[in-house]
Amino acid sequence: MPLAYRYALYLAPTGPWRDYGSRWLGRCADTGVALPPPPGMPEPCRAWTEAPRHYGLHATLKPPFRLRAGATPQAVDAAAQAVARAIFPFEVELECEMLRGFLAWRIAESDTQGRARIQALANAAVRGLDDLRAPPTPEEIARRQPQSLSPEQQAMLAHWGYPYVFDTYTFHITLTGKLMGDALEQAQRGIAAFADPLRGQTMAVPAISIFVQPQPGADFIAARHYGFDGTHTDAIGADYLQGPPAP
């Protein structure tokens, strides 16, 4: 059975948020199948969503990582189960906002309880899987452009391999790559029009999910969803949690 290049622990949107978001990005992470663009969307829509489409619809909890020497996919599976068992289901209120030059669904400023629950979940995810993470290579560090990060973000990058964790963490479900000017305004209008039926609806958070990147450069796909009630549901990438066959 295969070994994935990278593993990640994500929050996969649920219900209509999953359906609308996957359609907006143009790919279903559970199946890997390409999806047609939303009706009436301009041609540039595909370019706007190219970057987030690569990762699949998600909010990062434990960022993508390569396995350290001696770590196994089965250990990733067990660690994700352990994180999920300690969490109770909850809901969050989402709004579309700009973050570091791209558009994303973020937790509404008024939803203080949701923010606290997500922060606790993300903290547990980072700690719970970090023993399985290989240190980032110099090239991976350089891609984070550490010279442009704050001292606190640089410290997180050095210790945890990612600049946006714990006190620097910001929950977001990425909807576009970096945009400016007319493209940004068009995308904002397009998201607002397409996702208008979601207005006022909360999003349930009943599970966390392992996503995998099968090979370098490949799109991320969902492997397994871990319900907070102890259940799990497999997706197209489930075989990558079994690991390679014994020699």
Side-chain angles (χ1 to χ4, degrees):
M1 294 180 182
L3 180 69
Y5 176 61
R6 288 195 293 176
Y7 294 79
L9 187 60
Y10 287 162
L11 190 156
T14 60
W17 295 91
R18 174 196 59 215
D19 299 337
Y20 278 83
S22 297
R23 184 77 179 277
W24 171 261
L25 291 190
R27 185 169 68 89
C28 173
D30 272 9
T31 63
V33 172
L35 300 174
M41 285 295 102
E43 183 60 31
C45 175
R46 303 302 284 182
W48 300 338
T49 59
E50 181 179 0
R53 184 163 57 248
H54 169 65
Y55 291 93
L57 186 71
H58 77 283
T60 299
L61 298 173
K62 177 64 175 176
F65 60 93
R66 292 172 292 102
L67 294 181
R68 64 163 174 78
T72 65
Q74 291 91 338
V76 174
D77 183 49
Q81 289 183 52
V83 173
R85 282 197 298 266
I87 306 296
F88 292 98
F90 58 100
E91 297 180 346
V92 291
E93 301 171 19
L94 300 178
E95 296 176 348
C96 184
E97 299 178 2
M98 188 168 70
L99 174 67
R100 300 194 292 271
F102 58 87
L103 295 174
W105 281 325
R106 298 184 59 194
I107 300 176
E109 194 70 35
S110 59
D111 187 8
T112 55
Q113 184 176 16
R115 286 173 177 266
R117 296 291 299 273
I118 285 288
Q119 184 71 58
L121 175 56
N123 293 352
V126 171
R127 290 193 181 97
L129 279 75
D130 203 62
D131 285 346
L132 306 172
R133 173 180 63 87
T137 65
E139 293 77 16
E140 289 169 337
I141 292 289
R143 281 198 293 272
R144 294 293 174 193
Q145 300 181 324
Q147 70 281 358
S148 66
L149 300 173
S150 70
E152 188 175 20
Q153 290 166 346
Q154 291 177 5
M156 296 298 182
L157 178 61
H159 193 282
W160 301 100
Y162 193 68
Y164 309 112
V165 294
F166 298 107
D167 290 345
T168 60
Y169 176 72
T170 302
F171 173 90
H172 60 282
I173 301 168
T174 307
L175 299 173
T176 72
K178 290 192 175 182
L179 301 174
M180 296 185 297
D182 290 344
L184 177 61
E185 293 179 5
Q186 273 191 299
Q188 286 176 314
R189 290 195 298 269
I191 293 169
F194 175 63
D196 185 68
L198 300 176
R199 190 183 304 274
Q201 293 189 43
T202 57
M203 185 184 77
V205 181
I208 53 178
S209 305
I210 291 291
F211 278 46
V212 297
Q213 185 181 31
Q215 298 90 27
D219 288 339
F220 280 75
I221 52 176
R224 182 166 291 157
H225 306 290
Y226 302 85
F228 300 152
D229 60 359
T231 61
H232 73 264
T233 305
D234 284 354
I236 190 173
D239 281 353
Y240 290 99
L241 291 172
Q242 307 306 314

